[in-house]
Amino acid sequence: MANLTMIEAIREAMEQEMEKDDRIIILGEDVGKNGGVFRATEGLQAKFGEDRVMDTPLAESAIIGTSIGLSINGFRPVAEIQFLGFIYETMDQIAAQAARIRFRSAGRFTVPMVIRSPYGGGIRTPELHSDSLEALFLHSPGLKVVIPSNPYDAKGLLISAMRDDNPVLFLEPMPLYRAFRMEVPEEPYEVPIGKANVVREGDDVTIVTWGAPVKLVQKVAEESAKKGISVEVIDLRTIQPIDLETIVQSVEKTSRLIIVHEAVKSGGVGGEIAALVSEYALFSLASPILRVTGYDTPYPVPPIEDDWLPNAPRIEKAINKVMSY
């Protein structure tokens, strides 16, 4: 196995799938010669040519609109939006077009496209560059939303996304791009979309999270174990569809649920998970469901983002609260 960072695993996924399938086209701002804003596509234009790795104008709506047109004409585009906060420009193309064409055409047309985008805070980029907007797309039927938290999942989930006949939004946590290495199989493989990963088993509290906070929650769970509190950690991996079965099974075991995410609290994915658990596992709960999230403000300036993001003291406080209820 190779020992890869997340950005290397993402690049390898695209390279291997492009070798197998000449319908795959990468397009976006600076994805060609420069290799993308974080160098995820570095070297791919030199290998596959300008017809398959295309630099585009600074126009996000044009990138997604072109990708939709390519999709319904037999190609499998992989579009890059440089930062998730810029995706507002594309909302009509994604939510009103790409996500609906299969339903609208009664299955005559599909949109097998992937939209890759760096997202999330923690690297001192200002507001729109750090926004976590995944909840907007949970609310867009027809679209799948995938968020890896490590290099192994990043490669396997991206390959699954590129082979999927539906549009997939693939969100890449920026702080994890080069944060650590992990053994990753050299051959192509798939990690199923829609299947969460229980990264740590426990008996007292379930914490559901995804993306960058997964590592943080694991560390908090390790510290809690020293105090005699057994925390089960679920990496959701996929926001749409949500793996409700894994969450409910865990809550039925632990009786307590905390959801940790970077996005603002109101209208977030955490609220949807809390509602689902209330619907399917209410009588298993021994305490109220708590959320540890970003605050209901625009993303803050860099000097205070560590206090704005979910952090260890806030998660520990939530654990103590549900345990003492």
Side-chain angles (χ1 to χ4, degrees):
M1 289 191 183
N3 204 25
L4 302 182
T5 62
M6 179 180 283
I7 200 81
E8 291 169 341
I10 289 168
R11 185 185 307 122
E12 187 168 277
M14 288 188 284
E15 182 176 0
Q16 290 180 346
E17 288 302 289
M18 291 183 76
E19 288 171 344
K20 291 177 55 180
D21 190 340
D22 60 10
R23 296 173 299 171
I24 296 174
I25 293 174
I26 292 174
L27 64 164
E29 298 155 8
D30 297 325
V31 298
K33 185 177 181 180
N34 286 342
V37 64
F38 288 97
R39 306 298 180 260
T41 56
E42 190 170 43
L44 298 184
Q45 188 181 68
K47 181 171 183 177
F48 296 103
E50 296 182 2
D51 290 340
R52 296 190 63 197
V53 184
M54 302 176 184
D55 283 321
T56 68
L58 190 67
E60 284 78 12
S61 58
I63 295 169
I64 301 304
T66 301
S67 297
I68 295 170
L70 287 167
S71 296
I72 62 177
N73 282 283
F75 294 93
R76 304 183 76 87
V78 178
E80 179 177 301
I81 300 297
Q82 285 197 342
F83 295 92
L84 188 60
F86 302 152
I87 210 162
Y88 288 116
E89 302 289 336
T90 74
M91 284 302 294
D92 178 71
Q93 285 92 341
I94 294 175
Q97 307 300 330
R100 293 169 183 256
I101 287 175
R102 187 169 192 162
F103 183 84
R104 182 181 293 149
S105 68
R108 290 179 60 213
F109 299 104
T110 58
V111 182
M113 63 182 285
V114 177
I115 305 166
R116 293 183 40 253
S117 184
Y119 95 110
I123 63 167
R124 304 294 188 262
T125 55
E127 49 163 345
L128 283 169
H129 296 77
S130 297
D131 279 345
S132 295
L133 305 175
E134 61 267 33
L136 297 177
F137 301 98
L138 169 68
H139 202 66
S140 301
L143 185 69
K144 297 182 179 180
V145 184
V146 177
I147 305 177
S149 68
N150 61 67
Y152 178 90
D153 282 1
K155 179 177 178 179
L157 287 168
L158 182 53
I159 288 175
S160 294
M162 296 171 75
R163 294 177 181 178
D164 200 304
D165 286 334
N166 298 286
V168 179
L169 180 62
F170 191 84
L171 302 181
E172 301 165 2
M174 289 185 287
L176 302 184
Y177 269 150
R178 296 175 175 84
F180 61 97
R181 292 182 176 274
M182 176 183 280
E183 287 191 343
V184 175
E186 295 179 9
E187 66 277 10
Y189 61 92
E190 295 186 53
V191 172
I193 292 175
K195 182 61 180 174
N197 184 24
V198 180
V199 295
R200 181 187 177 93
E201 293 191 357
D203 298 315
D204 297 324
V205 183
T206 297
I207 299 183
V208 177
T209 188
W210 52 90
V214 172
K215 283 288 182 185
L216 169 64
V217 171
Q218 286 180 277
K219 290 180 181 177
V220 172
E222 291 171 8
E223 293 302 313
S224 296
K226 297 174 184 176
K227 303 172 185 174
I229 301 173
S230 177
V231 178
E232 182 148 299
V233 182
I234 296 176
D235 177 358
L236 199 56
R237 283 179 169 157
T238 304
I239 301 304
Q240 179 64 276
I242 290 175
D243 183 359
L244 178 61
E245 181 179 2
T246 296
I247 296 171
V248 167
Q249 286 178 351
S250 180
V251 170
E252 287 176 343
K253 178 174 65 171
T254 66
S255 303
R256 300 173 183 86
L257 174 63
I258 298 169
I259 303 135
V260 178
H261 64 63
E262 287 190 25
V264 299
K265 188 172 188 177
S266 296
V269 178
E272 177 65 18
I273 294 171
L276 288 168
V277 170
S278 297
E279 190 172 350
Y280 291 98
L282 176 64
F283 296 109
S284 298
L285 291 169
S287 73
I289 300 168
L290 298 185
R291 290 172 284 171
V292 181
T293 70
Y295 294 101
D296 286 344
T297 70
Y299 197 85
V301 293
I304 60 171
E305 70 175 345
D306 289 343
D307 296 320
W308 190 91
L309 290 167
N311 53 41
R314 290 172 61 197
I315 299 169
E316 290 166 357
K317 184 178 179 181
I319 292 172
N320 292 333
K321 188 171 182 178
V322 297
M323 288 299 296
S324 61
Y325 183 79

